[in-house]
Amino acid sequence: GAVVSQHPSWVICKSGTSVKIECRSLDFQATTMFWYRQFPKQSLMLMATSNEGSKATYEQGVEKDKFLINHASLTLSTLTVTSAHPEDSSFYICSASPFAPGLAANNEQFFGPGTRLTVL
Amino acid sequence: QKEVEQNSGPLSVPEGAIASLNCTYSDRGSQSFFWYRQYSGKSPELIMFIYSNGDKEDGRFTAQLNKASQYVSLLIRDSQPSDSATYLCAVARNYGQNFVFGPGTRLSVLP
């Protein structure tokens, strides 16, 4: 149980185009989904937290107009990188949690397999 | 001061030895602590979590938490070459679910 999928697993695009990444919880309802970015040899950096039906909360320094997040249902969140540039090339990973924030101390997140974005 | 710190490594241990991975955190209000393993090019996979002071064992893995010292560690007994990966410590912020990840420690188990 607790499987999270991402699509696509990798994408190559031209500079200036927009790319949409989907994150799905396959066997549970995800109250909260998280989007991370990981550059080579670095750790995961949280970009934003999204709760179903409400606006995402972005971390400091993350441009909300560039990284559009939609969490339209309890099993699907999307991240759209708008007008992508080479510096946006990274490994984007989503995670999902069945709990609402603050409800449980052992609040596990289940990670998707990641999407590798390369912007030429 | 970074919120979550780990030695970057690489930490090299011979096969069969005990690998000890350490993590310190700055937020005293942190509630729960996770250890993830990440192979190159893959997303993290959960090894175990701990939220009470003391030790928690799961197979070859033991997590140790000391909230007074703001320190959490992971011991891997009988290390195998397949344990070679980057180990990420993650700390959940007070009153929330957001994780802060440490930079990770690269472990290399030598056959």
Side-chain angles (χ1 to χ4, degrees), chain A residues 2-108:
Chain A
V3 178
V4 176
S5 70
Q6 278 185 246
H7 178 80
S9 55
W10 59 270
V11 58
I12 301 173
C13 69
K14 291 183 178 179
S15 184
T17 60
S18 294
V19 175
K20 180 186 283 188
I21 302 170
E22 292 186 350
C23 176
R24 294 182 185 271
S25 56
L26 298 185
D27 51 3
F28 67 98
Q29 292 188 324
T31 307
T32 309
M33 285 186 168
F34 304 84
W35 286 97
Y36 295 86
R37 180 167 53 180
Q38 187 176 33
F39 293 107
K41 298 189 186 302
Q42 296 186 23
S43 191
L44 279 72
M45 296 299 294
L46 179 65
M47 299 175 67
T49 304
S50 73
N51 293 295
E52 184 266 340
S54 61
K55 288 184 178 180
T57 301
Y58 290 81
E59 294 297 298
Q60 192 173 7
V62 178
E63 300 173 60
K64 61 181 179 182
D65 294 329
K66 180 172 182 62
F67 299 99
L68 302 179
I69 292 172
N70 184 283
H71 192 162
S73 77
L74 285 172
T75 59
L76 173 64
S77 176
T78 61
L79 167 68
T80 301
V81 183
T82 62
S83 186
H85 289 93
E87 58 265 29
D88 298 322
S89 299
S90 187
F91 192 42
Y92 290 86
I93 308 172
C94 75
S95 70
S97 173
F99 300 103
L103 283 185
N106 51 324
N107 36 24
E108 183 175 350

Side-chain angles (χ1 to χ4, degrees), chain B residues 1-6 22-35 50-53 64-73 89-94 100-102:
Chain B
Q1 181 189 10
K2 293 183 179 177
E3 291 188 60
V4 180
E5 299 198 49
Q6 297 177 253
N22 304 318
C23 173
T24 58
Y25 60 95
S26 61
D27 183 358
R28 282 198 171 275
S30 299
Q31 291 185 331
S32 42
F33 309 84
F34 299 78
W35 281 101
I50 185 169
Y51 58 90
S52 298
N53 276 327
Q64 299 174 315
L65 175 61
N66 183 324
K67 289 186 178 180
S69 300
Q70 295 175 245
Y71 173 91
V72 57
S73 66
C89 170
V91 177
R93 294 176 187 166
N94 194 22
V100 178
F101 279 89

